[in-house]
Amino acid sequence: MKNITIIALLLITFITNAQQTPGNKQTKPITIEGATAHLGNGQVIENSLIMFSEGKLTFVGSANTKIARNGLVIDGTGKHIYPGFIAPNSTLGLAEIDAVRATRDYDEVGAMNPHIRSIIAYNTESKVVESMRPNGVLMAQITPRGGRISGTSSIVQLDAWNWEDAIIKENDGIHLNWPSTYSRGRWWLGEPSTLKENKNYTKQVAELKNYFDNAIAYNAKNTTNNKPFDALLELTTGKRTLFIHVDYEKGIIDAVNFVKDNNVKNIVIVGGYEANMVSDFLKKNEIPVLLQRTHALPNNTDEDYDLPFKLANQLVNSGVLVGLENSGDMERMNTRNLPFLAGTCAAYGLDKETALSLITLNTAKILGIDKNVGSLEVGKDATLFISEGDALDMRTNKLEKAFIQGRDISLESHQTELYKRYSKKLGN
């Protein structure tokens, strides 16, 4: 009897702590009328009319258009509509509590793991994942970490029963951590923490070249079953994109030239702290950049204090396709601040709608999912939300409704429940 009681209590605890139940499939048309629609492609429609049915957008235009309003009609007067924000290069769902090793599953043993699929470790029940939605982050690229070649990412929507239901694009790309041209002193040995030349850089690049050469030789013979090499082969066919995590000028140039020599079709620079120094090179080679977290300090003491805030503007003005990513300290929890990274870019030179595209259509293009998401256009998924005000401003990013593929999703989370609980206590 005692054991049964314990089991019952555990089940109750599990149920009350579980993620919000995913939304039901859309069964009737929905119309949102009167809101200011930010389409994600640079366009804005005042007094808009947005209609969607069976999870797809069926009309995007002016509310003055003479067209029948079908199904549920939502009055959006004074509100703003946005496409769902996309968080690339994210470990959402791969770890829950940083200090508890048993909850971390984003790093695999070994240095070369192109075949390791992060998606099978993705936890849709994560409390961290559900805390993204109240700020409008509705999609993410689930990305592994560690090693020289970390593994393969997949793109998901953030309202699902399991990882199979969550998938938007499975196995979209392989992630390569390019050797750094610089290293910092080892503080635990009393060395200065300043940057210094990485003396092993050439050796580390040669190891990568040897690995790719072996993969090419294997693929030419194709005599054995080698999953890592099979995964690399998909880079040369264009089935997967190679995401190169690299920051410094020389490393960016070397990395791009290296993979072009190996006939890799699709390349994306991730991080790109010094991408502004080689912007002409990136534009010429049509290489997009998922730029490092905007809310950061400059890497070097002789740089402008606001350089991280201005990098996106510099790259966009140079003609480089740019998206924003949020890797770094507490990256999973801080992913909910993605819209405010774009807001900072707007405060430091970018037009507001151009800044919005850094976390919507631009990112969708870079990830290869722009046919279905990233902007409010007829035929695309009805993945969008209604905000009381400017969604790039933390003071006015207050969601009233959100939809993923037409499903009316919950905006409740552990944090919102606590907010309501203590607001009542304090009489607010």
Side-chain angles (χ1 to χ4, degrees), residues 78-295:
K79 306 297 191 301
H80 295 257
I81 301 177
Y82 293 86
F85 299 150
I86 309 168
N89 186 35
S90 171
T91 52
L92 281 172
L94 299 183
E96 195 70 7
I97 303 171
D98 287 347
V100 181
R101 184 174 182 178
T103 73
R104 305 197 305 260
D105 197 6
Y106 50 72
D107 190 351
E108 189 56 76
V109 175
M112 304 292 191
N113 297 306
H115 60 302
I116 297 298
R117 301 167 63 240
S118 62
I119 188 62
I120 61 173
Y122 175 64
N123 176 24
T124 56
E125 293 287 338
S126 168
K127 280 183 173 293
V128 181
V129 168
E130 75 173 11
S131 69
M132 301 299 110
R133 301 194 299 252
N135 277 10
V137 180
L138 305 182
M139 293 164 283
Q141 180 193 41
I142 308 305
T143 306
R145 296 283 187 260
R148 183 62 66 204
I149 302 179
S150 303
T152 296
S153 59
S154 291
I155 304 164
V156 301
Q157 48 83 10
L158 304 183
D159 182 67
W161 289 101
N162 51 54
W163 67 262
E164 292 96 334
D165 292 342
I167 286 176
I168 293 176
K169 185 176 182 181
E170 189 172 2
N171 303 334
D172 71 297
I174 293 173
H175 292 256
L176 165 62
N177 297 303
W178 189 259
S180 177
T181 50
Y182 299 101
S183 62
R184 290 191 181 274
R186 297 165 293 183
W187 59 268
W188 59 91
L189 294 180
E191 298 175 353
S193 61
T194 53
L195 287 174
K196 59 182 180 180
E197 182 182 0
N198 177 12
K199 296 181 180 180
N200 294 319
Y201 177 75
T202 302
K203 176 184 176 182
Q204 291 166 348
V205 172
E207 290 172 350
L208 261 178
K209 182 179 185 305
N210 182 60
Y211 190 77
F212 271 75
D213 286 346
N214 287 340
I216 292 170
Y218 156 79
N219 290 326
K221 295 181 179 179
N222 199 22
T223 56
T224 59
N225 181 22
N226 189 309
K227 289 185 177 180
F229 289 169
D230 286 338
L232 284 182
L233 176 63
E234 294 187 345
L235 295 175
T236 64
T237 62
K239 187 175 181 180
R240 300 191 197 187
T241 298
L242 183 61
F243 293 86
I244 310 172
H245 298 243
V246 57
D247 281 322
Y248 296 110
E249 177 183 4
K250 175 176 170 54
I252 292 172
I253 294 174
D254 288 350
V256 171
N257 288 332
F258 172 84
V259 295
K260 286 174 72 71
D261 289 342
N262 285 280
N263 198 33
V264 175
K265 301 297 184 185
N266 302 313
I267 308 167
V268 175
I269 296 298
V270 181
Y273 183 76
E274 291 186 351
N276 60 323
M277 298 183 183
V278 291
S279 55
D280 291 340
F281 172 78
L282 293 172
K283 180 183 178 182
K284 178 182 178 181
N285 289 282
E286 298 182 335
I287 308 296
V289 176
L290 289 174
L291 193 61
Q292 69 157 54
R293 184 186 297 180
T294 303
H295 294 171

